[in-house]
Amino acid sequence: MTDLLLTDPPAAAAEAAAELARLTGVERHDVALVLGSGWVPAVDLIGETVADVSVADLPHFAPPAVEGHAGRVRSVRAGNTRALVFLGRTHYYEGRGVEAVVHGVRTSAAAGCRTVVLTNGCGGLNPTWAPGTPVLISDHLNLTAASPLRGATFIDLTDLYSARLRTLCRTIEPDLAEGVYAQFRGPQYETPAEVRMAGILGADLVGMSTTLEAIAAREAGLEILGLSLVTNLAAGMTGEPLNHEEVLEAGRAAAERMGRLLAEVVAQL
Ligand code: 8IG
């Protein structure tokens, strides 16, 4: 495997951005949104779809692997803002390597974006957060033991999740909760003991995405907004086992609220 994605990730991102511009007819985009579990149904509220592309038609993107994740990229116009909306993402647990996980973020930066909105569905550790509760990510614990950075790239992650953008979200939804997101490798959900461990370490949310993308986004100079949708209480907090259908249902139920929030954020960037 001597794919450009592995030998020169920025060059791979530049190739993908050029093809994206060609296929969408949009030369540059302003903001990228990555819609994770539960967020995809919100896409139609963000703005007017100008173009819809399969990631399979873009250089160095992996085909989608998870049900409920569409594997498409839309160019959406919201007023004067051009948004690039990824419907689904490549997860680290798919085993395609960290370069594949962060390729969308790097492509977004190469496409001109200055801001990225990383969304996910996750488990919540706060028992007052019912399924369908949106939470602003204030900070993260990267528990994957992986990094998208190579060599001695000593990047500062203080205020990784933009305080400015969190404040903006609160002008739209004043009661938005905020919390620390822990990324586990997955794909299995946590054991109850792992959920207790995450809580002791300072996590409020547990999921399988976002932190590696946020690190790559910071390296690329993007301002980052992280938004989680609590789709289930984390393992062991109720007597019930977790299931993927519950995740999808919480997303469908919260889609309108999430869509309105994302549309307002994009409009006010
Ligand atoms: I949706 O409870 C969703 N994704 N790790 N734990 C982890 N990932 C998740 C969970 C969860 N719910």
Side-chain angles (χ1 to χ4, degrees):
M1 281 256 287
T2 51
D3 191 287
L4 191 64
L5 183 64
L6 298 181
T7 59
D8 191 347
E15 277 191 4
E19 184 64 2
L20 190 66
R22 198 181 71 79
L23 290 174
T24 61
V26 179
E27 195 53 45
R28 288 178 69 79
H29 288 84
D30 305 303
V31 54
L33 298 96
V34 180
L35 302 188
S37 301
W39 291 82
V40 171
V43 63
D44 294 318
L45 290 113
I46 296 170
E48 172 208 342
T49 297
V50 173
D52 180 284
V53 172
S54 169
V55 295
D57 295 327
L58 295 174
H60 316 292
F61 275 88
V66 181
E67 188 200 345
H69 287 191
R72 303 196 71 86
V73 190
R74 287 197 198 170
S75 179
V76 172
R77 197 175 62 82
N80 289 328
T81 301
R82 297 290 186 158
L84 201 54
V85 186
F86 290 84
L87 309 187
R89 55 159 55 88
T90 295
H91 288 87
Y92 186 55
Y93 59 70
E94 292 171 47
R96 304 177 201 266
V98 71
E99 290 78 14
V101 171
V102 303
H103 182 51
V105 163
R106 286 177 171 152
T107 296
S108 300
C113 295
R114 308 294 299 270
T115 309
V116 65
V117 181
L118 299 172
T119 72
N120 61 62
C122 69
L125 273 69
N126 182 332
T128 70
W129 294 344
T133 302
V135 179
L136 291 165
I137 299 176
S138 59
D139 203 345
H140 81 215
L141 297 168
N142 172 10
L143 302 182
T144 66
S147 171
L149 308 181
R150 292 182 181 182
T153 311
F154 302 119
I155 286 191
D156 174 59
L157 300 183
T158 309
D159 199 16
L160 181 62
Y161 298 90
S162 167
R164 184 184 81 88
L165 293 179
R166 279 184 275 148
T167 299
L168 169 61
C169 286
R170 288 222 187 73
T171 67
I172 299 161
E173 282 212 33
D175 297 332
L176 271 181
E178 134 174 334
V180 173
Y181 177 93
Q183 180 177 358
F184 282 80
R185 182 194 179 280
Q188 72 282 354
Y189 293 120
E190 296 71 34
T191 62
E194 287 165 345
V195 169
R196 288 194 298 275
M197 175 191 78
I200 289 165
L201 296 181
D204 303 295
L205 306 160
V206 287
M208 304 178 197
S209 69
T210 302
T211 77
L212 299 171
E213 292 151 273
I215 294 165
R218 168 56 63 92
E219 181 189 33
L222 300 174
E223 188 174 15
I224 301 157
L225 173 62
L227 278 168
S228 286
L229 178 67
V230 174
T231 56
N232 55 274
L233 279 173
M237 299 187 57
T238 73
E240 300 299 311
L242 308 185
N243 72 80
H244 191 59
E245 189 48 44
E246 170 189 35
V247 167
L248 298 178
E249 180 48 37
R252 282 191 286 269
E256 183 157 333
R257 183 179 176 195
M258 303 301 93
R260 263 187 284 113
L261 176 61
L262 293 180
E264 285 288 325
V265 168
V266 168
Q268 294 185 37
L269 276 176

